[in-house]
Amino acid sequence: MNNKPTYEKITPEFGNSILVAQNTKKRKRGLAFWHFHPEVELVYVNKGKGKCHIGNHLSYFNNSQLILIGSNLPHNGFADRLTSKGKETLIQFKTDFLGKEFYNLPEMQHISLLLEKAKRGIRFKPDTKKIIGPKIEKLPKYEGFKRVIKLLEILHILSLAEDYELLNVDGFAFETQPQDSVKIDTIFKYINNNFQRHISLDEIAEEVNMTVPAFCRYFKKVTGKTFTKLVNEYRVVFATKLLLESQSSITDICYESGFNNFSHFNKLFKEITGKSASKYRSEMKLMIQ
């Protein structure tokens, strides 16, 4: 419990500020580690069993769970959690993803108080689980604006719930100082400054004084993605900006974004955005006309 938690870097999928993930398989033990992140985390398990370790709270469950974990509250991933027909839905978002002043609005007062209480960890009881569980499980079906509205609806209902318990009740403080995130911030800054050229694993590992195997394990653990996958996502996001803001050809944009193979660029662009670069450009231009 007293081990220093690992900073986890949350990277939502292309075009989203909210990460929504649904899991129907037993989680690998290697993915359950003591960590924290600035994002708020809402977890719903409809059928499962495992360990609930949040702040200084430790318990075991063998039923459904609905838990809201506040910003920077250390917690452990649940292990062995899903039973037959079990499903886990995870939602992660930054408190200011709608702007720093959004929760200061009078209409957001209850949600603002909910997020403040969540810093101690909240476990909701059966009445609220029955109402909110199905809504959470449907969230992955929505995208864009609709997803934001549905999340706010869920938070609003949770903010009015009375059947809950606070988990980290004595407010035990854990060390989550900025230095915990220095290494991953150094990596992301390096990507930002160098993504337009090839970045070798040897080079980036040396930047943070790690061996290549240690770096690969660390990066996958902290971000959930391989280094190559994340850099390519970064390049595609940059390409979407150029497609909208510049008159350059798609070929030129491919190379300017750090790709050295046009067919590879096209394949990854479609994988990440769901459409070809040319279709993306034409649709975006129609939207802003």
Side-chain angles (χ1 to χ4, degrees), residues 124-140:
F124 294 92
K125 296 183 179 179
D127 288 347
T128 297
K129 280 193 289 187
K130 285 176 188 174
I131 298 168
I132 291 297
K135 292 180 182 294
I136 289 174
E137 289 184 333
K138 289 178 183 175
L139 200 61

Side-chain angles (χ1 to χ4, degrees), residues 13-218:
E13 304 227 336
F14 176 80
N16 290 290
S17 53
I18 305 166
L19 187 148
V20 181
Q22 206 158 65
N23 184 32
T24 56
K25 296 180 180 178
K26 179 177 170 181
R27 183 183 289 261
K28 294 178 182 177
R29 287 188 178 274
L31 296 179
F33 64 102
W34 187 230
H35 66 282
F36 73 99
H37 40 72
E39 291 79 5
V40 174
E41 182 171 315
L42 180 60
V43 185
Y44 176 62
V45 182
N46 66 347
K47 292 179 183 178
K49 58 183 178 179
K51 182 171 69 175
C52 177
H53 185 182
I54 297 167
N56 66 348
H57 170 89
L58 180 61
S59 62
Y60 292 85
F61 67 90
N62 188 21
N63 53 18
S64 61
Q65 291 281 289
L66 175 57
I67 294 174
L68 184 64
I69 303 168
S71 178
N72 290 324
L73 176 59
H75 56 284
N76 205 67
F78 297 108
D80 301 330
R81 63 165 78 210
L82 301 177
T83 55
S84 176
K85 296 183 181 178
K87 187 186 296 180
E88 171 207 19
T89 308
L90 177 77
I91 303 164
Q92 294 170 322
F93 59 94
K94 288 187 175 175
T95 53
D96 62 354
F97 82 100
L98 289 168
K100 293 187 182 297
E101 300 301 317
F102 183 74
Y103 294 104
N104 291 332
L105 296 172
E107 294 85 353
M108 295 298 111
Q109 182 182 5
H110 289 296
I111 294 179
S112 181
L113 289 172
L114 173 74
L115 297 179
E116 189 61 32
K117 281 190 289 188
K119 290 178 181 178
R120 302 170 87 178
I122 306 173
R123 177 158 52 202
F124 294 92
K125 296 183 179 179
D127 288 347
T128 297
K129 280 193 289 187
K130 285 176 188 174
I131 298 168
I132 291 297
K135 292 180 182 294
I136 289 174
E137 289 184 333
K138 289 178 183 175
L139 200 61
K141 298 176 183 176
Y142 300 106
E143 293 183 354
F145 178 73
K146 192 90 170 179
R147 179 177 285 185
V148 173
I149 295 300
K150 291 294 180 182
L151 174 61
L152 288 175
E153 180 187 334
I154 288 167
L155 293 176
H156 174 67
I157 296 170
L158 290 178
S159 74
L160 302 177
E162 296 180 355
D163 59 329
Y164 66 85
E165 62 177 320
L166 297 178
L167 302 178
N168 193 28
V169 288
D170 63 3
F172 187 87
F174 283 81
E175 290 187 13
T176 55
Q177 282 85 10
Q179 65 260 31
D180 292 319
S181 61
V182 165
K183 188 178 290 184
I184 196 68
D185 284 347
T186 298
I187 294 166
F188 272 72
K189 191 177 290 184
Y190 198 84
I191 293 170
N192 182 57
N193 292 334
N194 297 281
F195 72 92
Q196 288 170 291
R197 63 171 182 80
H198 174 66
I199 307 172
S200 70
L201 284 172
D202 287 312
E203 175 186 350
I204 189 64
E206 185 178 344
E207 187 68 19
V208 285
N209 299 312
M210 299 175 79
T211 64
V212 169
F215 171 82
C216 290
R217 286 193 300 272
Y218 167 79

